[in-house]
Amino acid sequence: LYGPGHLKKAKKGAYGGGMGGYHRKMGLYLNFFRSGHFEMVPCYHSIKGQYRIGFFVVRFLIDIFAFVRAAFTVRPQVVHVLAQYRRAMPREFALVWLARLFGIKVVYELKAGVFVDWYKSTNSVFRGMAKYCVQKSDAVLGQGMPYVDFVKSELNQQNAFFHPNFVARPEIPEQVREKLDAASLKILFVGFAYRDKGVFEMIEGCKIASDTVPIELTMIGMEHVDFQEWMDTFDTGDRLKVHRLGRMPHDEVLKAYDRHDIY
C-alpha cells in the first residue's frame, strides 16, 4: 500500500498540512481493513515539509529508493497506489514504470478530488504520465462514478471500478440523537478548506439559506490562505454564525458529528 507516511504535526505548505484525506485513508486501510485473501504492507512516501532538504528532486529520489528497497525486501504481488496526481505525477509515473519492470501488478486508486479537471488542464507531459499510470495499471479504482466513466471512455482503461469512500465500523455510533430539533440548522464541514472543495460556495449558500432559517456552520480543519483571507472579510449577516475551529484530534471530530444536523 503506497501512500503518505505519518506526521506528528501538520506541515505548512503540504496539502491539508500533510494530515488530510490521503493520510486518513492510509490509516483506515492499515488499521481497520482485514482480509483472508491478502495482507496490506505499507510503503510510505514523503510529505512536503517533512525533510529540511525538501525540494522536489531530493524527495523524489528518497521516495523511489524506498519503493525499490521495499520491492526487493517485501516482494509484493501488487502495489496499491493512493494516487495524488498533480505535483506527485512524476513520482507515480516512476512508481508504475518500476512496478511493471519488476513484474508487480498495480492498483491505481483515484480518491475524490479534481482528477478530471486537472487532467484536461495540465500540461502535455503530466497528461502523458497520468495516461500511462492509468493504462498500465491492472485495475483503477474511482471514488466517484464520474472518474470511472472518464477513465473508461477517455483513457481507454476498462478495468475501472467504483470504490466509494468508507468508514471504519468502530467509528459508526450505535445511536444517533434526534436531528433538526433546534431553532437553527446546525451544519458541519470537516476537511481542508480550499477552493476545489466548494467551501466558498458553501459559505455563500449558507448565507442565502439563512434568510429562511438561522444557520450555525462549524468548520473543522486547516484553511487554505485564500479561503482564510476571504472568510476574514465575509459578511455573514445576523442569521449565519460560522465557527472556525481549525484542526482537531480525530476523537473530537467524531464527537462533533453528533452535535450537528447536516454533514
Side-chain angles (χ1 to χ4, degrees):
L1 181 66
Y2 193 79
H6 177 72
L7 291 177
K8 293 183 179 180
K9 61 180 182 179
K11 295 294 183 181
K12 187 176 181 180
Y15 173 86
M19 304 181 76
Y22 286 98
H23 175 268
R24 175 77 183 139
K25 190 67 170 287
M26 190 79 170
L28 277 172
Y29 275 130
L30 296 176
N31 296 326
F32 296 103
F33 182 81
R34 297 293 180 268
S35 171
H37 300 289
F38 59 90
E39 177 187 3
M40 282 189 167
V41 179
C43 180
Y44 298 112
H45 63 67
S46 63
I47 297 170
K48 185 177 180 181
Q50 184 174 352
Y51 302 117
R52 289 185 179 180
I53 304 176
F55 55 89
F56 173 79
V57 175
V58 174
R59 286 183 53 222
F60 176 85
L61 293 175
I62 291 173
D63 292 339
I64 294 304
F65 174 77
F67 171 71
V68 172
R69 181 177 59 186
F72 282 98
T73 56
V74 179
R75 296 189 178 277
Q77 294 171 281
V78 179
V79 176
H80 184 145
V81 183
L82 296 185
Q84 297 191 37
Y85 47 96
R86 290 170 283 204
R87 288 178 292 182
M89 203 65 253
R91 177 177 64 204
E92 292 174 6
F93 170 79
L95 183 74
V96 174
W97 183 82
L98 286 169
R100 306 309 301 182
L101 182 67
F102 298 154
I104 305 172
K105 294 183 181 295
V106 177
V107 173
Y108 195 69
E109 180 179 347
L110 294 168
K111 279 176 54 60
V114 292
F115 178 75
V116 174
D117 291 340
W118 171 84
Y119 182 86
K120 292 179 178 179
S121 62
T122 192
N123 61 67
S124 59
V125 174
F126 274 34
R127 191 157 51 244
M129 289 181 178
K131 190 172 184 178
Y132 177 89
C133 288
V134 168
Q135 293 185 342
K136 293 299 182 180
S137 294
D138 296 274
V140 175
L141 307 180
Q143 188 175 318
M145 282 302 298
Y147 296 135
V148 176
D149 296 338
F150 181 82
V151 165
K152 286 184 176 181
S153 62
E154 299 296 327
L155 300 183
N156 197 30
Q157 167 58 278
Q158 300 307 308
N159 287 328
F161 307 93
F162 179 48
H163 184 63
N165 207 354
F166 52 86
V167 176
R169 186 173 293 153
E171 295 184 351
I172 300 175
E174 293 183 4
Q175 293 183 325
V176 178
R177 73 163 182 85
E178 289 293 322
K179 302 292 183 180
L180 305 171
D181 59 352
S184 61
L185 186 63
K186 298 182 183 298
I187 301 176
L188 175 67
F189 171 88
V190 178
F192 182 36
Y194 77 116
R195 183 172 296 279
D196 289 338
K197 280 200 174 181
V199 287
F200 290 81
E201 294 85 349
M202 178 183 69
I203 296 293
E204 292 170 337
C206 285
K207 174 69 178 299
I208 295 171
S210 68
D211 291 340
T212 302
V213 59
I215 291 178
E216 286 190 49
L217 169 65
T218 300
M219 301 187 67
I220 299 177
M222 288 189 65
E223 296 179 353
H224 190 279
V225 62
D226 291 343
F227 176 77
Q228 193 175 59
E229 293 175 351
W230 178 82
M231 193 65 214
D232 287 344
T233 60
F234 183 82
D235 181 13
T236 59
D238 298 329
R239 294 169 60 85
L240 170 61
K241 294 181 180 179
V242 181
H243 309 288
R244 298 156 64 190
L245 305 184
R247 288 192 66 254
M248 296 179 66
H250 185 64
D251 290 346
E252 294 299 316
V253 176
L254 291 178
K255 293 177 183 177
Y257 287 96
D258 191 54
R259 299 192 296 266
H260 292 80
D261 302 311
I262 297 175
Y263 168 57

